[in-house]
Amino acid sequence: MPDYQAHDNKLTLKVVFYGPALSGKTTNLMQLHSLLNPERKGELMVLETRDDRTLFFDMLPIGLRGTSGLDLRLKLYTVPGQVQHDSTRKAVLSRADGIVFVADSQPSQQDNNAMAFGNLEENLEKVGLDIDTLPMVVQFNKRDLPGVVEELELQQRWASTPWAPLMMASALQGNGVIESFRALLDRLYIAISDEFALEHRHGIFRHTFIDGLSACHEADRAKL
């Protein structure tokens, strides 16, 4: 649910990285913080615990400004993957505008992926959101590891879902991170552009939205 403050002409959107424990959610966010170079970018907050990488949330606020002066901000969060932190996951999911589901490509982790996805669906329902209509991208991470599930098999398995095609990534190496983010931005723009007249009132076109929020440093762009 986008947070629009008319008196300040400010629109804030919330994106949540969700998935099983240690699938690479925090690594995705850390890579985005390193690679992205939007008009404005805040500091990345990381809270670590013994049993999981993220206890509460990581937040990466970035943004751009429309021709009307609209201050468009995007806040990125991750959730803890451990089951005992489920109440925190629900709290972070509340009022989410988009989801990047980070799955683990290793064969041994497929059951954990399925359980985490089911947990996401349940928690979204509990906070009043519909997984079938909420903008979401599914990323299979850790493609750099040996013996991962073949991409063709994964794509076929998910072909009939609203989230096809899947994104492939190695967040540790930075591969597929920006691409996954851009795919989510594209779906997010389609979902909100008419409601907030982004193009006609604020001069924020689809390509402006995607390119402005996923702009990279020149040196990093050459590597992608």
Side-chain angles (χ1 to χ4, degrees):
M1 299 175 64
D3 179 15
Y4 179 60
Q5 300 177 29
H7 57 286
D8 291 327
N9 199 21
K10 182 166 68 176
L11 177 63
T12 303
L13 306 172
K14 180 180 185 180
V15 170
V16 178
F17 285 71
Y18 207 97
L22 304 178
S23 62
K25 303 177 295 296
T26 298
T27 307
N28 264 271
L29 209 60
M30 292 175 73
Q31 287 285 11
L32 285 174
H33 189 266
S34 174
L35 295 170
L36 293 179
N37 185 33
E39 292 180 13
R40 301 187 307 282
K41 179 172 68 174
E43 293 299 316
L44 176 64
M45 299 187 298
V46 181
L47 302 177
E48 299 190 5
T49 64
R50 270 185 321 188
D51 56 355
D52 199 355
R53 194 73 185 277
T54 309
L55 173 61
F56 187 47
F57 64 80
D58 306 327
M59 183 178 70
L60 169 58
I62 60 180
L64 57 81
R65 193 173 294 274
T67 56
S68 67
L70 176 70
D71 186 3
L72 193 153
R73 302 185 181 192
L74 187 64
K75 292 186 176 181
L76 311 185
Y77 297 78
T78 69
V79 299
Q82 295 288 344
V83 175
Q84 62 264 37
H85 301 309
D86 196 50
S87 60
T88 301
R89 292 201 294 246
K90 286 196 288 285
V92 177
L93 274 178
S94 179
R95 300 182 65 85
D97 301 299
I99 303 287
V100 178
F101 183 83
V102 182
D104 193 316
S105 293
Q106 298 176 95
S108 62
Q109 297 301 311
Q110 298 312 296
D111 286 345
N112 287 337
N113 291 336
M115 286 188 291
F117 195 85
N119 175 260
L120 170 62
E121 184 173 16
E122 292 173 7
N123 283 340
L124 284 174
E125 184 177 355
K126 289 175 182 176
V127 298
L129 297 171
D130 183 357
I131 196 171
D132 292 321
T133 58
L134 188 69
M136 185 168 75
V137 164
V138 175
Q139 176 201 94
F140 270 80
N141 188 30
K142 303 188 179 182
R143 303 302 298 173
D144 54 301
L145 296 180
V148 295
V149 181
E150 292 293 332
E151 178 178 355
L152 180 60
E153 179 182 341
L154 292 172
Q155 296 287 8
Q156 289 176 341
R157 192 182 299 170
W158 287 75
S160 62
T161 73
W163 311 289
L166 305 173
M167 304 300 297
M168 300 290 129
S170 170
L172 196 61
Q173 299 178 351
N175 300 329
V177 173
I178 295 292
E179 293 84 350
S180 300
F181 185 54
R182 286 177 63 87
L184 188 277
L185 290 175
D186 189 31
R187 296 178 186 183
L188 184 55
Y189 184 87
I190 293 171
I192 68 167
S193 59
D194 289 343
E195 180 181 357
F196 297 99
L198 293 184
E199 179 178 336
H200 302 295
R201 186 183 305 167
H202 304 292
I204 299 178
F205 295 82
R206 190 171 178 175
H207 68 88
T208 309
F209 182 85
I210 297 170
D211 293 344
L213 291 172
S214 65
C216 299
H217 298 281
E218 287 296 332
D220 292 322
R221 186 181 294 113
K223 300 175 186 176
L224 298 175

